[in-house]
Amino acid sequence: MDQLGKRSAAAARLDAILRHLRPARGAALAPIAIPTSAQLSAVTQPRRFRYTLDNDVLTTEQRQFYEENGYLIIKKLVSDEDIERFRKEFVRICNKEVNPLGAMIMKDEMLRSQSVLPEKVVNKVQDFQEDEELFRYCTLPQVLKYVECFTGPNIMAMHTMLINKLPDSDKQTFRHPMHQDLHYFPFRPADRIVCSWTAMERTDRNNGCLAVLPGTHKESLKPHGYPEWEGIVNKLFHGILDYDENSPRVHVVMEKGDTVFFHPLLIHGSGVNKTSGFRKSISCHFASSECYYIDVKNTVQEDLEKETVEIARRKFNASSLDLKDIWSFRARLVQGERVNL
């Protein structure tokens, strides 16, 4: 930093201190005690938050909860009207009334050939950034005002999903193994990435709600792979290798419209849908546009890169795609300026 920059920073700190110490209008001035150097060293400094940025939206208690646990639930953030619009658009996609460019429509292969309604076959619409109606979710002001608390003002929508969790069968599970979302992302820093996940109906242990391991966002990215489960596991449903199934977890019960924000290193997954219904949710991973892409070769993400690129090359019939190309296609600026991503 040059001398002018240092003086400006020092002036800003001094101004903040003076504003903090300045008494309220009309209040009597209190005598000021000048502490000794020994007393200064013993003074407890204000706690600095690592995982959220200074803002006027979150309370101190909410920031502290996210700091310690890696997730935060905001009740009734998304309206019933918006959720119904998203649900109708999902049905239109299932019925092939619309075909969003680049969207990945994942289906239950065992039900595909049977005479069932299309929306009971599709279990996920991923990468819906080209669908104007579903992408509205990523631009909702009430969502972005919370996202900014984690990412800052320059916000990219990086990864979008509408999940239609089908009832489990003896031959296929739609349970998602415990994982860290950062496993899928070739950009950093992790602390400026956040997922917004909204329940489109009540979610609980009966229909496979989210389960989280509080505090694990403070850990490093772990090796992932396909779990050794009986039956078919969905493509790219990776889980942490050598995961201890007895690890204590919290089941995140949510009502329609509730939204959970969580850190990309938080270990989480979802349980079995034991009902005959379909549990829907809509989500987006947001990142600061000041984040940057990394090379994942020779890291724990290298195998994931190979699988993702192979799937994309087949889908788009393009032999020269790489991982950065895929993410650049997905990414959309939703607020502020596009810096890196």
Side-chain angles (χ1 to χ4, degrees), residues 104-116:
M104 182 182 294
I105 315 298
M106 300 180 67
K107 299 180 179 180
D108 182 336
E109 296 299 328
M110 290 185 297
L111 294 176
R112 187 192 292 263
S113 60
Q114 299 178 22
S115 298
V116 296

Side-chain angles (χ1 to χ4, degrees), residues 84-100:
E84 185 57 29
R85 287 178 62 176
F86 300 146
R87 189 188 306 275
K88 288 180 178 178
E89 184 68 1
F90 170 73
V91 172
R92 292 181 67 214
I93 292 173
C94 293
N95 291 333
K96 298 183 179 180
E97 296 172 34
V98 290
N99 183 26

Side-chain angles (χ1 to χ4, degrees), residues 23-31:
R25 182 175 299 176
L29 289 173

Side-chain angles (χ1 to χ4, degrees), residues 290-301:
E290 296 165 36
C291 289
Y292 51 87
Y293 288 106
I294 63 167
D295 185 354
V296 300
K297 289 182 174 59
N298 301 314
T299 73
V300 294
Q301 293 177 269

Side-chain angles (χ1 to χ4, degrees), residues 258-288:
D258 291 355
T259 302
V260 59
F261 295 92
F262 59 90
H263 191 280
L265 280 170
L266 181 73
I267 296 176
H268 68 286
S270 65
V272 171
N273 182 0
K274 296 178 286 188
T275 72
S276 59
F278 298 77
R279 193 270 282 154
K280 291 181 177 63
S281 62
I282 188 168
S283 66
C284 178
H285 281 90
F286 295 93
S288 167

Side-chain angles (χ1 to χ4, degrees), residues 235-250:
K235 200 72 173 171
L236 293 176
F237 269 37
H238 295 173
I240 294 172
L241 300 177
D242 302 321
Y243 171 71
D244 181 3
E245 291 289 345
N246 295 317
S247 299
R249 63 182 70 180
V250 171

Side-chain angles (χ1 to χ4, degrees), residues 119-161:
E119 61 265 35
K120 294 186 177 181
V121 176
V122 175
N123 57 63
K124 182 191 294 186
V125 176
Q126 183 168 291
D127 301 332
F128 57 66
Q129 66 276 354
E130 295 292 338
D131 185 277
E132 183 177 347
E133 182 60 33
L134 290 185
F135 194 72
R136 276 196 324 104
Y137 172 77
C138 306
T139 65
L140 291 175
Q142 67 269 35
V143 171
L144 290 180
K145 82 172 185 179
Y146 281 98
V147 170
E148 185 173 346
C149 301
F150 308 97
T151 65
N154 300 317
I155 306 174
M156 300 292 295
M158 298 298 295
H159 185 237
T160 53
M161 289 192 299

